[in-house]
Amino acid sequence: MTNNDIFKKLRVALQLRDDQIIEILELVDFRISKGEIGNFFRAPEHPKYIECGDQVLRNFLNALVIHLRGTKEEPKVPMDVIKAHKTTPSKDYDQKDRKDRPATSPSKPKSYSKSNNKKNDPKNKKFNPLGNVKFNNGKPKKKEDE
């Protein structure tokens, strides 16, 4: 069993998101990006897969102990912390926004009108995504008049 497997199993068992893992690692002053954490959880065949080193796993386990048990000065009950993981929404997700939005069924695809597409919009007939860039492949243009 590799360090990546251990890390994955802990993440699933404790129901941790990437942003929570980052916060836990910051308890022991270990900083890592969300993208690097995502690379640990990829399939080994994936081109961006990274092996989780001993240092990363050691720091995560030490920080996890502090996160779950707390410190001597401020002890915590581990089961309360784990239950809080289930109820805590992510930072990017706001419950109020979800209530205000109308419910849509995922089975119905959205229909887009052609006017949303810049290529087909009659107002943008001369739309050139490259701007005023002209390509010259080294060959002069043939003049049909001569």
Side-chain angles (χ1 to χ4, degrees), residues 25-78:
L25 284 168
E26 286 178 355
L27 294 174
V28 291
D29 295 329
F30 190 82
R31 286 170 183 55
I32 191 167
S33 71
K34 201 172 188 178
E36 288 175 307
I37 290 173
N39 291 339
F40 294 142
F41 302 126
R42 296 184 187 276
E45 302 84 33
H46 195 279
K48 292 189 177 184
Y49 171 80
I50 297 175
E51 282 193 31
C52 180
D54 293 339
Q55 182 183 11
V56 176
L57 187 61
R58 182 185 72 235
N59 281 309
F60 177 70
L61 292 173
N62 289 335
L64 191 61
V65 169
I66 295 170
H67 176 71
L68 294 175
R69 293 186 194 164
T71 59
K72 285 184 179 181
E73 296 81 27
E74 297 177 25
K76 297 179 185 177
V77 178

Side-chain angles (χ1 to χ4, degrees), residues 98-106 108:
R98 183 153 196 236
K99 290 178 184 174
D100 296 339
R101 283 185 276 160
T104 58
S105 78
K108 294 181 182 178

Side-chain angles (χ1 to χ4, degrees), residues 80-144:
D80 292 343
V81 176
I82 292 171
K83 287 177 185 175
H85 290 171
K86 295 178 186 177
T87 59
T88 307
S90 78
K91 291 180 181 178
D92 301 332
Y93 182 77
D94 191 5
Q95 292 288 344
K96 293 177 185 175
D97 290 342
R98 183 153 196 236
K99 290 178 184 174
D100 296 339
R101 283 185 276 160
T104 58
S105 78
S107 61
K108 294 181 182 178
K110 291 182 179 179
S111 61
Y112 295 100
S113 65
K114 289 185 177 182
S115 63
N116 289 343
N117 191 347
K118 290 183 179 180
K119 291 179 185 175
N120 296 332
D121 193 2
K123 296 176 186 174
N124 292 327
K125 285 279 185 191
K126 296 181 181 179
F127 176 74
N128 183 2
L130 300 176
N132 294 328
V133 177
K134 294 182 182 179
F135 293 98
N136 183 359
N137 293 336
K139 298 178 184 176
K141 290 187 178 181
K142 294 180 182 177
K143 295 183 180 179
E144 295 179 18

